[in-house]
Amino acid sequence: MKISYDSRGKDPLFTGSIYLFLLAALVCLLGPFIYVVSSSFATEHEILNRGFFLFPKEWTIEAYGYLLSNDNFLTSFNNSVVITVCGTAINIVLTSLMAYGLSKTWLKGRRVLNFMVLFTMIFSGGIIPTYLVIRELGLINSYWALYLNSAIAPFNLIVMRSFFQTIPSELEEAARIDGCSELRLFWRIIIPLSMPSIATFTLFYAVFNWNTYFYAILFINNSADWPLQVYLRQMLVVSSSGMEEQAGAFQYTPAVKMAAVIITALPLLVVYPFLQKHFNKGMMLGSVKG
C-alpha cells in the first residue's frame, strides 16, 4: 500500500484523522458547556419541560439577579477570592524559595530533603493525623489550616527545581562577584528569568485554591467562612433533600444552579488566557532536566 505525503512530508489521511478527532472532542466538550450557559438564561418552566436544549426560547437574567442578591452566595464568593489570592501567594513564595534552595548542588543535606519531598508524593499522612495536627495547632476554623496544609505541592516543587537548574550558574556567579546577596540575587535575577515557570504554577495553585472543597469542610466549621465550592455543594444538598422554605427563602431553581456554576467558573476562564502563553513554555522548561 502506497502512502501519499504532502509537500511538508505529512500524511494527509493521518492529519485529517487528527483534526476530525479534535473536532469531535470539541463538540463533546462544548455541548454540555453551552447547555449550562443556556439553562442559566432560561426559565424554570422551559428547563423542566424541554429537557436538553442549546438555546432557550425565552431569555432571562432572573437567575443571576436572584443569585447575586443572596448574601450567603456573595459571602462565599468573597471567601473563595480571599483563599485563592492569599493561598496562591503563599504557595508560590514558599515553593519558589524551597525549589531554588534544592536546585543548588552545594546545599548540605540536599539529597535527604529531595527524598523527603519525593516521599510525600508517594505516601501521605492520612486524614485523621492531618486533622489532629491542625487541631493541636489551633487552626480549626482558620484559613491558615488551608494555607499551611497545602503550602507546597511536591510535584510543582520538583518541576520548578528542575527549571532553576537550567539557569546558567555563570549569571549567579557574576552577581555574587558584584556583591549581590543571595536573597537579592533570587528576587532581582532568578525570579525575572523564571516568569514562565512561575506563571504556570500560579495558575495551578490558583485553580487548586479556588476549587478547594474537602479541606474546607474538614477544617472550617463556621458556615459564614465556607468557600464557594462548599456553598454550591450545600445548595445541591438542600435543594435535593426538599429542605427549602417556601416563604421568603432562597429558591435553588435549576436556572439558579446553572448560573451559580457559570459564576463559579468565570474567574478562572477570565484569568487563564493571560497565563496561557506561559503555560506550555513553563512546563517544558521545567521538565527537560531532572
Side-chain angles (χ1 to χ4, degrees):
M1 180 179 179
K2 185 177 180 180
I3 301 177
S4 61
Y5 296 91
D6 59 14
S7 59
R8 294 172 296 178
K10 296 182 179 180
D11 180 9
L13 180 61
F14 179 73
T15 304
S17 301
I18 293 177
Y19 281 113
L20 184 62
F21 173 78
L22 293 176
L23 180 62
L26 180 63
V27 172
C28 293
L29 293 174
L30 285 181
F33 180 76
I34 294 176
Y35 172 72
V36 172
V37 175
S38 300
S39 298
S40 67
F41 290 100
T43 61
E44 180 181 5
H45 181 268
E46 184 174 4
I47 295 176
L48 296 177
N49 287 276
R50 287 188 63 189
F52 181 82
F53 57 88
L54 295 180
F55 301 99
K57 295 181 180 179
E58 181 181 352
W59 294 79
T60 177
I61 59 173
E62 291 182 358
Y64 289 94
Y66 204 35
L67 186 63
L68 295 177
S69 64
N70 185 6
D71 293 336
N72 293 331
F73 178 84
L74 296 177
T75 300
S76 63
F77 188 93
N78 180 71
N79 293 339
S80 286
V81 171
V82 173
I83 292 173
T84 301
V85 173
C86 298
T88 303
I90 293 173
N91 294 145
I92 288 297
V93 171
L94 295 182
T95 301
S96 59
L97 287 172
M98 187 172 181
Y100 178 69
L102 293 179
S103 67
K104 304 307 172 186
T105 56
W106 46 261
L107 180 68
K108 295 182 179 179
R110 175 175 176 268
R111 291 183 177 273
V112 176
L113 292 175
N114 281 323
F115 173 77
M116 293 174 64
V117 172
L118 184 61
F119 185 84
T120 60
M121 293 183 61
I122 305 173
F123 303 100
S124 64
I127 299 175
I128 295 178
T130 301
Y131 180 84
L132 294 177
V133 170
I134 295 296
R135 188 186 65 179
E136 292 302 317
L137 292 175
L139 298 179
I140 298 297
N141 287 326
S142 171
Y143 288 155
W144 284 104
L146 306 179
Y147 300 151
L148 299 180
N149 187 59
S150 306
I152 299 177
F155 173 79
N156 297 348
L157 174 67
I158 292 174
V159 176
M160 188 173 288
R161 180 203 64 190
S162 300
F163 176 82
F164 287 144
Q165 289 175 339
T166 63
I167 298 178
S169 59
E170 291 78 8
L171 290 175
E172 301 179 25
E173 293 174 0
R176 293 190 184 99
I177 292 175
D178 290 338
C180 188
S181 64
E182 288 295 330
L183 187 60
R184 186 177 181 185
L185 185 152
F186 178 74
W187 289 111
R188 293 294 182 89
I189 297 178
I190 302 300
I191 291 298
L193 293 175
S194 308
M195 286 311 298
S197 179
I198 292 176
T200 300
F201 292 111
T202 297
L203 178 62
F204 281 0
Y205 279 125
V207 172
F208 174 81
N209 287 309
W210 181 259
N211 292 327
T212 183
Y213 169 75
F214 179 75
Y215 287 129
I217 63 174
L218 188 64
F219 301 134
I220 308 298
N221 299 323
N222 186 6
S223 60
D225 296 328
W226 281 345
L228 190 56
Q229 304 301 332
V230 178
Y231 176 81
L232 293 179
R233 173 59 181 170
Q234 292 302 115
M235 177 190 297
L236 178 62
V237 170
V238 171
S239 174
S240 60
S241 61
M243 295 173 60
E244 296 173 295
E245 298 180 4
Q246 299 298 323
F250 191 81
Q251 301 298 310
Y252 301 118
T253 63
V256 171
K257 296 177 185 178
M258 299 300 182
V261 172
I262 295 299
I263 295 177
T264 302
L266 189 60
L268 296 180
L269 294 177
V270 172
V271 172
Y272 180 76
F274 295 98
L275 299 177
Q276 183 181 11
K277 63 180 180 179
H278 301 293
F279 186 81
N280 292 333
K281 184 179 179 182
M283 288 301 296
M284 291 302 296
L285 288 177
S287 60
V288 295
K289 186 175 182 180

